[in-house]
Amino acid sequence: MPEGDTIYRLARRMQPLVGTQVESSDFRVPRFATADLTGARVLSLVPRGKHMLTRFDHAGRAVTLHTHLEMDGEWSIVGHGKLLPRRLMGDARLVLATSGPTAIGLRLPVVELLPTEAEHTVVGHLGPDLLDDTRPATEVIAQATANLQARPDRPLVSALLDQRLVLGLGNVWVNELAFLRGHLPFTPVGQVDVEPLVKLAVRAMRFAVQPGGPGRVTTGNTRPGERYYVYGRTGEPCRRCGTRLEFSPEIPNEPGVRHTWWCPRCQT
């Protein structure tokens, strides 16, 4: 599933839509099949963790398009008046043709329109966004730390994946953060010094989304297969100590129990 930094970079890539006017809209989802945003002006694209909020002024009404990529959704941006090849358009769930580029949402499992004033109904339950650049980082860190500490018995990686506590972390980040801080993934949160971990998460994710930067990398090595310390490296030697990495598979339908990797020597 795309993580918060992926959605943040996606919102940046879609910025050419801002300020354009919708020339036609095609909602290919039953609930909004008759919806029409023609004439609406795109005001902003706001990433909220793994959610995207696209705000419009539609005939004087503030309207928000809420989308979520989940596992394999994506947005494609093509030139004015253009579409993707026919073999791909069958996966389109939404086509927004604007006075600028055309945005095409493919395989989007979540597509809904709502009044902007009602955005809280779809994202209000979420925790602080580690990439929220409208708030001081110290405020985000303090809130996320307090949320995590309020559930001291939860396993660390499960708590970090809970978007109601802290927003934007996915399985890559939580495995890498546990390694970098030297914690076994299943350690109860109450046994972890939470604030330094959250500070590291904020610093690492904000570095990952820097324009022109290397993207998501924790080792400092951007060569293929070298970006991460533990994630996806089942049975391989630890990059620090050489110990064989351990792996625990996810439990189906348990969102807090995902594929997990760790070094039994470096993480205690």
Side-chain angles (χ1 to χ4, degrees), residues 157-234:
V157 293
S158 175
L160 291 173
L161 286 169
D162 189 337
Q163 304 297 290
R164 298 167 298 179
L165 304 180
V166 57
L167 189 56
L169 294 174
N171 212 32
V172 176
W173 280 118
V174 300
N175 277 272
E176 292 296 294
L177 288 167
F179 176 84
L180 290 168
R181 290 295 303 165
H183 301 303
L184 282 170
F186 308 108
T187 303
V189 171
Q191 298 179 23
V192 172
D193 193 357
V194 175
E195 185 176 8
L197 187 150
V198 175
K199 286 182 176 179
L200 177 61
V202 169
R203 187 166 71 249
M205 289 189 72
R206 295 190 180 195
F207 176 78
V209 300
Q210 287 184 349
R216 188 187 301 160
V217 58
T218 56
T219 62
N221 187 339
T222 59
R223 290 181 296 182
E226 302 290 331
R227 286 178 170 265
Y228 306 133
Y229 280 105
V230 294
Y231 179 81
R233 302 187 61 238
T234 305

Side-chain angles (χ1 to χ4, degrees), residues 25 31 46 50 104 106 126 132 134 141 156 181 241 253 255 263 266:
S25 64
R31 182 181 173 189
V46 181
K50 303 175 185 181
I104 304 170
L106 302 173
L126 301 174
D132 186 351
T134 68
I141 291 167
L156 178 62
R181 290 295 303 165
C241 71
N253 302 316
C263 173
C266 294

Side-chain angles (χ1 to χ4, degrees), residues 2-9 47 49-50 131 168-170 205 209 216:
E3 306 191 19
D5 52 321
T6 302
I7 307 302
Y8 188 98
R9 290 193 298 268
K50 303 175 185 181
L131 290 172
L169 294 174
M205 289 189 72
V209 300
R216 188 187 301 160

